[in-house]
């Protein structure tokens, strides 16, 4: 009896612990206006087959002042395909090129550069996703910038209307800050109608809010359009993947975090870093918890990816993980173990993915050596015989 009571208590505790992050177990909780479609039987599912293992062409066409950009040559698209990638996600900072409203005209120059990327990728049988990246004004004022986003898509969609269906559009990378779901759901609806005017059959990717977070799948309200893929990003465990990243803020100052934890010798934290209590707690758990519960291990993403799968099956929308990855500030062995574990978890949940990135700081490819960064090929493409 005592044992039974203990077991029941343990069960209640573990369920409530999972409930605490709002994810498990999966209970459909999107607003009622979000109607399920037949899972596996829409054009979006057919199209998603072309977007299974991809790579982000980071720091190229979304390059902004203050970033270190990359150069890309035409032969790199062949290398991507030969490595085993079936698609390339192409971030483009379209909003930086618009003229004044209400037309927000985009100049020929930026189209020329995007055309070059798409054409070279398609020539190598790669599928392509073109997004709108770094539209910071929209994140600050979504309603005030909705006309501009719509005008961008009117022009981009018209320009690529005759391109093959292997080209897909992604409306907006990582809405965040003020761009919450109550603001973005109607904006998405409007932009989808704008795109459908010239591209009735093209696949459109739609990011969840709060930086394309998996938790935000629950807030989406999509129109009944059956050629939409829902996109999420996941950089968990963030303090591991972004250690030392200048854009990651004060929480990611600690270097030397390994994957998976715990480390053989506990990591000492310099009190001078003045870390927030929640970061310090994370570091203590990293130093002490066993591998299967360690915050710098697969436990950081397994439940989230299972949730994405359950949500996708319920709502009949393919879910795609368009960004995951680890900055090269982490030690090379940990990085490779992380990419392998994350890729295995994605494959186990049958979720399409794209790594961040090809050659810009989260490198898959080492441009100096003309080969993949050691261990990356094996981590992502285990059956590769190269
Ligand atoms: C951003 C990149 C950044 C990466 C990882 C992407 O969404 O566009 O600038 O390096 O996320 O943080």
């Amino acid at each position: 009896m005592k044992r039974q009571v203990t077991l029941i208590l343990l069960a209640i505790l573990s369920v409530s612990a999972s409930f605490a992050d709002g994810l498990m177990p999966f209970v459909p909780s999107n607003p009622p206006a979000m109607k399920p479609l037949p899972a596996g039987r829409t054009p979006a599912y057919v199209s998603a087959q072309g977007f299974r293992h991809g790579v982000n062409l980071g720091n190229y066409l979304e390059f902004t002042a203050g970033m270190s950009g990359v150069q890309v040559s035409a032969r790199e698209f062949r290398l991507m395909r030969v490595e085993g990638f079936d698609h390339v996600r192409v971030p483009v900072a379209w909003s930086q090129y618009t003229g004044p409203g209400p037309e927000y005209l985009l100049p020929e120059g930026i189209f020329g550069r995007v055309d070059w990327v798409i054409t070279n990728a398609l020539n190598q049988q790669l599928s392509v996703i073109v997004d709108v990246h770094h539209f910071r004004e929209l994140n600050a004022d979504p309603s005030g910038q909705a006309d501009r986003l719509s005008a961008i898509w009117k022009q981009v969609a018209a320009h690529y209307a005759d391109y093959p269906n292997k080209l897909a559009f992604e409306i907006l990378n990582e809405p965040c800050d003020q761009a919450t779901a109550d603001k973005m759901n109607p904006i998405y609806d409007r932009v989808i109608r704008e795109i459908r005017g010239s591209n009735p059959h093209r696949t459109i990717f739609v990011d969840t809010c709060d930086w394309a977070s998996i938790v935000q799948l629950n807030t989406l309200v999509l129109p009944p359009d059956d050629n939409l893929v829902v996109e999420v990003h996941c950089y968990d465990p963030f303090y591991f993947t972004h250690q030392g990243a200048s854009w990651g803020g004060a929480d990611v100052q600690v270097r030397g975090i390994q994957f998976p934890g715990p480390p053989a010798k506990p990591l000492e934290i310099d009190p001078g870093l003045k870390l927030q209590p929640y970061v310090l707690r994370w570091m203590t758990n990293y130093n002490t918890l066993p591998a299967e519960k360690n915050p710098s291990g697969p436990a950081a993403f397994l439940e989230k990816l299972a949730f994405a799968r359950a949500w996708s099956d319920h709502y009949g929308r393919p879910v795609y993980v368009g960004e995951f990855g680890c900055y090269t500030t982490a030690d090379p062995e940990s990085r490779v173990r992380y990419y392998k574990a994350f890729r295995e978890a994605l494959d186990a949940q049958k979720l399409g993915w794209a790594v961040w990135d090809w050659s810009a700081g989260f490198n898959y490819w080492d441009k100096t050596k003309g080969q993949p960064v050691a261990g990356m090929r094996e981590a992502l493409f285990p059956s590769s015989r190269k």
Side-chain angles (χ1 to χ4, degrees):
M1 181 64 180
K2 195 166 165 222
R3 192 177 125 84
Q4 250 180 2
V5 171
T6 318
L7 281 179
I8 291 169
L9 270 178
L10 276 178
I12 292 171
L13 278 177
S14 66
V15 168
S16 52
S18 307
F19 268 125
D21 62 13
L23 282 176
M24 295 293 283
F26 171 72
V27 178
S29 54
N30 286 57
M34 176 71 176
K35 303 283 185 230
L37 296 182
R41 290 192 280 120
T42 63
Y45 283 89
V46 177
S47 173
Q49 288 310 309
F51 297 92
R52 290 177 60 241
H53 302 154
V55 62
N56 276 279
L57 195 59
N59 294 19
Y60 187 49
L61 297 177
E62 89 285 21
F63 178 82
T64 51
M67 279 170 58
S68 52
V70 297
Q71 298 296 316
V72 177
S73 68
R75 67 183 279 277
E76 286 175 64
F77 298 96
R78 177 163 187 282
L79 295 172
M80 289 174 188
R81 193 202 10 101
V82 171
E83 285 303 308
F85 295 109
D86 61 10
H87 73 282
V88 55
R89 179 170 175 263
V90 186
V92 186
W94 294 101
S95 61
Q96 289 176 28
Y97 300 90
T98 50
E103 292 85 5
Y104 298 107
L105 281 184
L106 287 162
E108 273 307 307
I110 183 62
F111 278 113
R113 298 187 68 205
V114 181
D115 293 355
W116 180 86
V117 169
I118 297 176
T119 305
N120 278 290
L122 291 175
N123 281 346
Q124 293 300 331
Q125 289 82 51
L126 293 164
S127 303
V128 185
I129 301 170
V130 165
D131 82 353
V132 167
H133 216 85
H134 293 323
F135 192 171
R136 300 206 171 94
E137 299 95 318
L138 188 139
N139 289 328
D141 178 16
S143 310
Q145 293 292 323
D147 286 353
R148 186 159 157 217
L149 183 68
S150 186
I152 289 172
W153 277 112
K154 184 176 185 175
Q155 297 168 77
V156 175
H159 186 91
Y160 295 111
D162 295 332
Y163 274 55
N165 282 339
K166 280 170 91 89
L167 170 66
F169 298 150
E170 178 184 333
I171 298 175
L172 182 69
N173 175 64
E174 298 182 348
C176 59
D177 302 334
Q178 302 306 309
T180 50
D182 57 324
K183 298 273 175 17
M184 288 311 299
N185 285 329
I187 294 178
Y188 280 149
D189 187 62
R190 173 179 173 190
V191 174
I192 290 165
R193 274 186 279 122
E194 182 69 67
I195 294 173
R196 286 288 173 248
S198 54
N199 290 252
H201 304 300
R202 191 165 307 284
T203 302
I204 302 174
F205 286 65
V206 181
D207 288 33
T208 55
C209 291
D210 196 19
W211 306 89
S213 122
I214 291 177
V215 181
Q216 290 278 320
L217 282 166
N218 271 338
T219 62
L220 273 179
V221 175
L222 296 172
D225 189 303
D226 61 7
N227 203 355
L228 306 178
V229 174
V230 174
E231 177 163 336
V232 292
H233 297 170
C234 183
Y235 283 101
D236 294 323
F238 191 72
Y239 303 145
F240 164 73
T241 62
H242 278 66
Q243 54 189 296
S246 55
W247 65 97
D251 289 353
V252 294
Q253 297 172 79
V254 180
R255 301 273 295 265
I257 301 167
Q258 298 170 7
F259 185 98
K265 182 171 161 289
L267 189 64
E268 281 181 32
I269 309 296
D270 171 4
L273 293 177
K274 298 198 171 39
L275 296 175
Q276 294 291 334
Y278 56 86
V279 184
L280 283 172
R281 226 172 6 254
W282 191 95
M283 296 296 163
T284 307
N285 288 339
Y286 164 66
N287 276 332
T288 54
L289 291 183
E292 65 281 7
K293 289 191 180 154
N294 197 280
S296 187
F301 48 76
L302 289 178
E303 272 197 7
K304 285 191 175 175
L305 298 180
F307 178 87
R309 163 51 47 215
W311 185 93
S312 169
D313 289 345
H314 178 81
Y315 284 103
R317 308 282 187 165
V319 170
Y320 162 82
V321 181
E323 289 187 25
F324 73 99
C326 176
Y327 197 27
T328 40
T329 41
D331 72 86
E333 292 79 17
S334 288
R335 268 189 93 230
V336 165
R337 285 194 293 267
Y338 154 83
Y339 274 98
K340 179 171 189 289
F342 207 113
R343 193 269 310 152
E344 283 174 352
L346 289 163
D347 287 351
Q349 296 296 348
K350 299 192 169 52
L351 295 165
W353 49 258
V355 286
W356 191 275
D357 58 30
W358 174 243
S359 68
F362 286 54
N363 311 17
Y364 175 87
W365 190 254
D366 180 338
K367 284 204 167 170
T368 342
K369 294 192 177 147
Q371 61 188 43
V373 172
M376 290 293 278
R377 182 186 282 159
E378 295 74 12
L380 296 187
F381 303 109
S383 53
S384 160
R385 294 223 210 96
K386 285 177 266 12

